[in-house]
Amino acid sequence: MAKYGKRTTAAREAFAGKENVSVEEAVSLVKNNATAKFDETVEIALNLGVDPRHADQMVRGVVTLPNGTGKTVRVAVFARGPKAEEAQAAGADIVGAEDLMETIQSGKIEFDRCIATPDMMPIVGRLGKVLGPRNLMPNPKVGTVTMDVKSAVEAAKGGEVQFKVEKAGVVHAGVGKASFDEKQLVENVKAFVSAVQKAKPAGSKGAYMKRINLSSTMGPGVSVDVAGALAD
């Protein structure tokens, strides 16, 4: 039988018997039991009734969390000329074209979001096998292939979260930090759930949002009442 430390044991006891609770109660439980020595991320996982192997059941989208993520997002932009200058002025961490492609091909990926102007896609397209599995491939559907580089960079830096369903039908993301107050976390959770609900694909049959789970980086998870989370 596994032995747990005092912190883990206390957290497991606090969560015992708690299932399908309100967003507010889930946030309170997770926040108050995030006792690691660093500022833990509050993470959400949604089990969806979709099979992403079918194109008409793919779920992806983007949402700007009302209170941000609490994370410093490093942004890379593929652009040339004035658009490259616009990206730099907006706060992009890395800007380039063929040189950036070569850096990525060498295995050096030092960014969390990748944005490209449309004319750069022939270059970016060569990186599909590298960026695709990391969910970093620029995509016009989520606003990362755009001529409005300034807005895209500012959104990425300001709390915008991209989501994409995984093979098992799960969508997960960070929705804030344990240091956020409960109200901020509740607002972020509800905004994220709402965005995933709105991204329901045409091919989804039966129950779409089957389960919601909230946890912190080092803490146990608690299930959230789906109907309650969608009520607001």
Side-chain angles (χ1 to χ4, degrees), residues 68-76 90-94 110-115 136 152-162 174 177:
T69 64
K71 177 183 177 182
T72 300
V73 178
R74 299 165 299 174
V75 179
D93 300 275
I94 307 167
E110 297 181 330
F111 52 86
D112 309 296
R113 183 73 58 87
C114 188
I115 295 164
L136 290 172
V153 172
E154 290 175 348
K157 291 279 189 179
E160 186 179 80
V161 174
Q162 293 182 13
K177 293 289 186 178

Side-chain angles (χ1 to χ4, degrees), residues 159-213:
E160 186 179 80
V161 174
Q162 293 182 13
F163 57 86
K164 181 180 179 182
V165 67
E166 299 173 352
K167 289 181 180 179
V170 177
V171 169
H172 68 82
V175 289
K177 293 289 186 178
S179 58
F180 284 21
D181 66 40
E182 291 185 13
K183 183 174 182 291
Q184 290 176 314
L185 289 169
V186 167
E187 290 173 349
N188 280 2
V189 168
K190 290 186 175 181
F192 188 84
V193 171
S194 176
V196 175
Q197 177 67 21
K198 289 175 182 175
K200 180 179 179 179
S204 174
K205 306 297 181 185
Y208 170 58
M209 197 168 293
K210 299 168 73 175
R211 185 178 174 88
I212 301 173
N213 196 76

Side-chain angles (χ1 to χ4, degrees), residues 98-143:
E98 286 86 358
D99 56 335
L100 179 52
M101 177 189 71
E102 291 170 2
T103 298
I104 293 170
Q105 287 176 328
S106 73
K108 193 174 181 181
I109 300 176
E110 297 181 330
F111 52 86
D112 309 296
R113 183 73 58 87
C114 188
I115 295 164
T117 54
D119 58 300
M120 289 285 100
M121 288 312 291
I123 293 174
V124 179
R126 303 179 204 173
L127 301 169
K129 291 183 178 179
V130 180
L131 298 179
R134 293 174 171 81
N135 200 26
L136 290 172
M137 192 69 180
N139 189 311
K141 292 182 179 179
V142 293

